[in-house]
Amino acid sequence: MPLPIVLLILFAALLHASWNALLRVGADRLWSMTMMCVAVAIASSVIALFLAPPAPASWPYAILSGLLHVGYNLFLVRSYKVGDLGQTYPIARGSSPILITLCALVFAGETVSTNALIGIVLVSGGIISLAFRQRRLAVPSLPYALGTGFFIAAYSVTDGIGARLSGAPLAYTVWMCALWGVLMPLVYIGLRDTRSLFAPRPGVITALIGGLVSLLAYGIVIYAMSHAPMGAVSALRETSVLFAALIGYCFLGESLTVRKVLACLVIAIGTMLIG
């Protein structure tokens, strides 16, 4: 994989960890996630005005991805609500690179080198190991965490194929994100009501900024998937766990145990094999 692509993905991983940290500190994560989507919808719609639309062949993928992103949001929020964040997040993020590699092989005929495959397994294994406590994996929200991982794999492969068919990854990204950003508030209103969505609350600016950061991060990932194997891109993106551990230690008062350090070392080795 070319070094510029690797560096771009690692930057996206840092951005991804940052917006997840913003979501993590929110009291009402469904509202925070929805407000992030509002920011995504507004920014994407404005950018789309200045770009030619993507090729029609990519439109069904953009629509499907928008729906899958809504499912991902709901499962992510639910897994955070039901289970311990320190366990559900690694399972969701760690399971997706392997799933994406398999789906990319089946649906896009995409293969990766032996070194990259070993790297993907190491990254996924290192991330999932963070969910173990006292050598046991007891996660009440395991179905939601795994469901989140499946949604990540599904929308990632959908976007990888869609971006390649679009002929314009940036245009594809903003069209898909605009749709996703509109759908999520509609789902929120259906689950709750309009008043609670737009009522002034502490943290609204933080949520809106988080949405813009997430848009930039995923835009980079879609661009990378149009130029490199989807499974390898996903594994590199999930190094966001490394950045999340550092952010948690430096800013959120979380501990940095020996187990975390060893897991991060395994992830780093896998990253080097991929890159």
Side-chain angles (χ1 to χ4, degrees):
M1 188 183 300
L3 181 59
I5 296 293
V6 172
L7 295 177
L8 268 178
I9 300 168
L10 293 178
F11 177 59
L14 174 59
L15 294 176
H16 183 80
S18 300
W19 79 255
N20 269 270
L22 293 175
L23 178 63
R24 185 180 307 183
V25 298
D28 186 344
R29 293 188 176 112
L30 178 60
W31 175 83
S32 297
M33 178 69 81
T34 305
M35 291 308 297
M36 290 171 65
C37 289
V38 170
V40 167
I42 294 172
S44 298
S45 299
V46 171
I47 296 171
L49 294 175
F50 299 94
L51 298 174
S58 67
W59 294 358
Y61 293 91
I63 294 170
L64 176 59
S65 178
L67 295 171
L68 290 171
H69 270 84
V70 172
Y72 158 74
N73 288 349
L74 295 176
F75 267 72
L76 179 65
V77 170
R78 183 65 178 174
S79 65
Y80 283 177
K81 182 178 180 180
V82 174
D84 184 343
L85 180 66
Q87 291 186 293
T88 57
Y89 183 82
I91 292 172
R93 306 310 309 191
S95 60
S96 60
I98 293 178
L99 292 173
I100 291 171
T101 302
L102 293 174
C103 290
L105 174 63
V106 173
F107 295 106
E110 188 177 272
T111 59
V112 295
S113 67
T114 302
N115 278 353
L117 183 59
I118 294 172
I120 291 168
V121 171
L122 287 176
V123 170
S124 287
I127 294 171
I128 293 174
S129 72
L130 293 171
F132 284 81
R133 292 183 177 174
Q134 298 179 346
R135 300 181 182 179
R136 294 175 63 248
L137 184 63
V139 185
S141 61
L142 183 60
Y144 293 105
L146 288 175
T148 302
F150 276 105
F151 272 109
I152 294 170
Y155 74 62
S156 295
V157 173
T158 299
D159 286 333
I161 298 173
R164 294 174 186 181
L165 293 174
S166 71
L170 178 57
Y172 174 88
T173 299
V174 296
W175 274 51
M176 182 278 294
C177 288
L179 175 62
W180 162 38
V182 169
L183 287 174
M184 191 61 201
L186 294 177
V187 171
Y188 179 96
I189 292 170
L191 293 173
R192 296 185 181 178
D193 55 71
T194 305
R195 178 179 296 180
S196 67
L197 175 60
F198 295 107
R201 295 196 201 186
V204 63
I205 300 300
T206 301
L208 294 174
I209 292 173
L212 297 178
V213 172
S214 70
L215 175 61
L216 176 59
Y218 195 57
I220 293 172
V221 169
I222 291 180
Y223 172 80
M225 287 193 298
S226 67
H227 292 80
M230 289 179 255
V233 171
S234 172
L236 286 178
R237 180 181 63 166
E238 301 312 346
T239 57
S240 61
V241 173
L242 297 175
F243 297 112
L246 293 175
I247 291 171
Y249 176 73
C250 295
F251 301 106
L252 302 178
E254 297 181 358
S255 61
L256 196 61
T257 63
V258 173
R259 180 174 56 85
K260 281 187 179 181
V261 172
L262 291 176
C264 290
L265 180 61
V266 171
I267 296 168
I269 293 172
T271 301
M272 288 187 288
L273 287 173
I274 295 169

